[in-house]
Amino acid sequence: MELLQKTHLRVQVLRIALAFLLVALLSSERGESRKAKIVTTSFEYSAINCRAHSASLTDFGGVGDGKTSNTKAFQSAVSHLSQYASQGGSQLYVPAGKWLTGSFSLTSHFTLYLDKEAVLLASQDITEWPVLGPLPSYGRGRDAPAGRYTSLIFGTNLTDVIVTGDNGTIDGQGAFWWQQFHRKKLKYTRPYLIELMFSDSIQISNLTLLNSPNWNVHPVYSSNIIVKGITIIAPVTSPNTDGINPDSCTNVKIEDCYIVSGDDCVAIKSGWDEYGIKFGWPTTQVVIRRLTCISPFSATIALGSEMSGGIQDIRAEDITAIQTESGVRIKTAVGRGGFVKDIYVKRMNLHTMKWAFKMTGDYNSHADTHFDPNALPEIKNINFRDVVAENVTIAAKFEGISNDPFTEICIANVTLGMAVKAKKRPWTCADIKGITSGVTPPPCDLLPDQGPEKITACDFPAESLPIDMLELKQCAYSMKYVGMY
Ligand SMILES: *[C@@H]1O[C@H](CO)[C@@H](O)[C@H](O)[C@H]1NC(C)=O
Ligand SMILES: *[C@@H]1O[C@H](CO)[C@@H](O)[C@H](O)[C@H]1NC(C)=O
Ligand SMILES: *[C@@H]1O[C@H](CO)[C@@H](O)[C@H](O)[C@H]1NC(C)=O
Ligand SMILES: *[C@@H]1O[C@H](CO)[C@@H](O)[C@H](O)[C@H]1NC(C)=O
Ligand SMILES: *[C@@H]1O[C@H](CO)[C@@H](O)[C@H](O)[C@H]1NC(C)=O
């Protein structure tokens, strides 16, 4: 049965391929320089699942000239390949070339794989971006209340979906959107580069993401997520180009990522004010490992400001930041409700920072005026250890909310080398409670030193997160496709 299906697919794909070969030959006869030929390629990588069926974008009429729109080619490829979901899944291969495209959706048991020399170019034609309603946990689009443009690569209600490659590129061509945003010309919120909603078992790996119109990677209402080996680059002045934003997600691993951006490198979220409280879907069990961040106006790792569904059990280790505003930042406000608790950070290396740590309760941007002034956030059990920094202007700004202090803060074995032009008072503290051990410069009175025997306090929980138990499979592919030269 499966063999028959496979043969059927081969015949069909070959038929489509031959049709395009013919078109390509005809157009080259008309004096164009492109030539088509059947190419064989093989590659391997580790993944949550390997696929039984593979096809190339060129089998569906894709043209990699940087000018022709491939939105329809992507859509028909995914729609065709979705029939193999229950027969071992499928993979769409994007060959070398520049593939202009608007938004398209993925399917379940599916892998999108980008060749090393493949570049997806996001279309600047606004009709290529369908509009979605606001996220239920936000109540409105962040840029504009009416809704949001669908992300470039989108998926909802999926299971087992992979976006990967041999470090291929996805270029959001964001300058167009940033300009429209600054001129307040947008009717809807700018698209993200990759967004997966209500999905389970997600892998996003080995890609370079450039110039996103807005956030880069946004898993939301999803679980069992691996983001690994991603390079994200956007101008440090570009608006809201956050790197990776797990939002109301569970069991997430972010590993080996390098991010230069105009906003937070990683921002953990869970909905906004009364909408987030009502939706009530927290982000829990996140591990962030070997992250390098450059973001002069934002945080290396931010928790919030949208945290109304709650944020719990976040672990970050081996984090490097260079010329970044802050190391770890908790942003919240009266009206948010929710919680940020059980946060563990160890082995951060920081170079040239405004604040090493920042936690404040005055992030007063609200979805609308209907937020509940009695909805106070609960911020507690926040742990930092084994941090080394140099050229720091302010060690920390810790300002809780009056009548709602941030509690159980624990800081141990932290050495912050202060800048020549550092502020005279390295720590500003209000409405907080906690302890320290082995911290330089000496912290504020609200964080009393417990003596050298507590220097190994503030550690991670002993058990690993379930996502760390997941073993990836080694997948090897060899396939034929129509290449254009
Ligand atoms: C990333 O690329 C490396 C080198 O090509 C490969 O060995 C690895 O399996 C890939 N990993 C993932 C998670 O895609
Ligand atoms: C996706 O799943 C959510 C949550 O289970 C559900 O509310 C929504 O209707 C589903 N959407 C689609 C398009 O199936
Ligand atoms: C991927 O490509 C980017 C951009 O060219 C480069 O900076 C990065 O080092 C590459 N990553 C790997 C693992 O080769
Ligand atoms: C303190 O932190 C440094 C730098 O991360 C590390 O090398 C050292 O082992 C730590 N000390 C203790 C007692 O854990
Ligand atoms: C220290 O930080 C300042 C900005 O606060 C920067 O101008 C300077 O170049 C940095 N010095 C070093 C040695 O990195």
Side-chain angles (χ1 to χ4, degrees):
M1 178 66 189
E2 202 184 314
L3 249 179
L4 209 75
Q5 294 270 11
K6 264 191 177 171
T7 314
H8 177 68
L9 172 68
R10 282 228 185 91
V11 169
Q12 221 175 317
V13 164
L14 212 62
R15 202 180 290 147
I16 302 169
L18 284 174
F20 284 108
L21 191 62
L22 198 65
V23 170
L25 288 176
L26 285 176
S27 54
S28 67
E29 265 176 24
R30 275 192 259 110
E32 287 180 24
S33 57
R34 253 187 301 122
K35 287 197 180 116
K37 66 171 184 189
I38 302 282
V39 201
T40 306
T41 183
S42 46
F43 48 92
E44 53 185 283
Y45 57 87
S46 44
I48 51 175
N49 272 308
C50 307
R51 309 303 183 193
H53 304 266
S54 288
S56 161
L57 185 64
T58 50
D59 299 339
F60 300 89
V63 179
D65 62 1
K67 289 179 283 196
T68 309
S69 170
N70 290 285
T71 313
K72 292 218 160 61
F74 275 112
Q75 285 166 349
S76 58
V78 173
S79 142
H80 176 82
L81 293 171
S82 65
Q83 65 183 299
Y84 302 105
S86 58
Q87 295 153 38
S90 60
Q91 168 170 258
L92 180 64
Y93 172 74
V94 182
K98 289 191 160 68
W99 311 90
L100 184 68
T101 182
S103 168
F104 62 95
S105 293
L106 307 179
T107 186
S108 291
H109 306 292
F110 176 81
T111 299
L112 178 68
Y113 180 93
L114 269 57
D115 180 88
K116 191 179 186 55
E117 303 295 328
V119 182
L120 296 198
L121 288 176
S123 169
Q124 303 192 331
D125 174 355
I126 217 133
T127 64
E128 295 248 46
W129 300 87
V131 174
L132 283 175
L135 289 167
S137 58
Y138 283 71
R140 52 163 289 169
R142 286 173 100 264
D143 292 351
R148 21 191 241 121
Y149 292 105
T150 312
S151 61
L152 182 67
I153 298 177
F154 180 70
T156 191
N157 301 67
L158 303 182
T159 179
D160 179 16
V161 54
I162 302 175
V163 183
T164 188
D166 184 9
N167 203 14
T169 301
I170 303 174
D171 184 345
Q173 306 208 91
F176 157 79
W177 296 96
W178 307 330
Q179 215 170 57
Q180 300 271 319
F181 171 74
H182 285 310
R183 292 179 184 159
K184 301 191 168 24
K185 288 242 169 90
L186 290 170
K187 248 171 89 186
Y188 304 105
T189 298
R190 288 162 290 155
Y192 304 133
L193 225 43
I194 302 175
E195 180 177 73
L196 292 157
M197 277 172 64
F198 297 114
S199 296
D200 180 60
S201 296
I202 297 170
Q203 174 179 339
I204 299 168
S205 60
N206 285 1
L207 296 168
T208 295
L209 311 181
L210 303 178
N211 301 321
S212 177
N214 199 350
W215 300 349
N216 279 270
V217 178
H218 185 221
V220 56
Y221 320 135
S222 294
S223 51
N224 304 315
I225 302 164
I226 296 177
V227 179
K228 187 175 167 75
I230 299 289
T231 301
I232 294 177
I233 297 174
V236 296
T237 52
S238 55
N240 311 106
T241 48
D242 298 35
I244 301 160
N245 291 8
D247 195 347
S248 297
C249 287
T250 298
N251 208 28
V252 182
K253 169 150 83 179
I254 298 169
E255 255 181 16
D256 302 307
C257 291
Y258 176 88
I259 302 175
V260 182
S261 85
D263 212 320
D264 303 326
C265 287
V266 171
I268 296 176
K269 298 177 182 280
S270 65
W272 207 0
D273 291 354
E274 68 273 23
Y275 304 100
I277 294 170
K278 185 165 175 222
F279 203 67
W281 195 326
T283 292
T284 58
Q285 298 186 313
V286 178
V287 57
I288 306 164
R289 209 175 261 139
R290 299 183 299 270
L291 167 71
T292 301
C293 170
I294 301 177
S295 184
F297 308 107
S298 297
T300 313
I301 297 173
L303 306 161
S305 81
E306 302 89 338
M307 40 61 70
S308 303
I311 294 174
Q312 184 171 19
D313 197 355
I314 310 300
R315 309 170 187 195
E317 58 186 342
D318 300 303
I319 309 297
T320 300
I322 304 155
Q323 278 178 37
T324 295
E325 194 184 59
S326 58
V328 175
R329 178 159 181 202
I330 298 177
K331 311 179 200 176
T332 188
V334 170
R336 285 285 191 281
F339 50 83
V340 176
K341 58 187 179 191
D342 308 335
I343 309 299
Y344 307 91
V345 178
K346 70 178 169 193
R347 293 192 303 269
M348 283 207 298
N349 241 296
L350 309 174
H351 309 265
T352 304
M353 311 291 289
K354 184 164 180 194
W355 295 281
F357 310 110
K358 188 174 181 188
M359 270 183 234
T360 61
D362 62 351
Y363 208 90
N364 289 315
S365 67
H366 294 287
D368 54 37
T369 55
H370 304 303
F371 66 90
D372 175 2
N374 297 315
L376 300 178
E378 181 191 23
I379 312 299
K380 76 166 192 192
N381 194 22
I382 314 294
N383 301 275
F384 303 115
R385 61 171 290 179
D386 305 345
V387 177
V388 179
E390 55 174 41
N391 206 19
V392 172
T393 304
I394 304 167
K397 179 170 177 169
F398 289 150
E399 292 177 354
I401 296 169
S402 56
N403 305 319
D404 178 31
F406 299 173
T407 61
E408 294 175 46
I409 296 167
C410 180
I411 309 177
N413 189 29
V414 168
T415 306
L416 307 174
M418 303 305 289
V420 178
K421 290 185 179 164
K423 287 273 151 41
K424 278 206 192 72
R425 251 175 67 207
W427 301 77
T428 52
C429 303
D431 303 302
I432 60 153
K433 287 180 190 156
I435 57 159
T436 55
S437 172
V439 174
T440 319
C444 54
D445 294 343
L446 293 176
L447 297 171
D449 192 310
Q450 305 297 295
E453 66 276 13
K454 283 279 173 65
I455 198 152
T456 55
C458 333
D459 207 357
F460 278 36
E463 339 72 66
S464 330
L465 294 177
I467 196 76
D468 266 332
M469 319 291 193
L470 183 76
E471 289 239 10
L472 295 183
K473 298 167 184 162
Q474 198 59 26
C475 310
Y477 301 93
S478 178
M479 59 180 290
K480 286 190 189 347
Y481 66 96
V482 184
M484 304 279 178
Y485 293 89

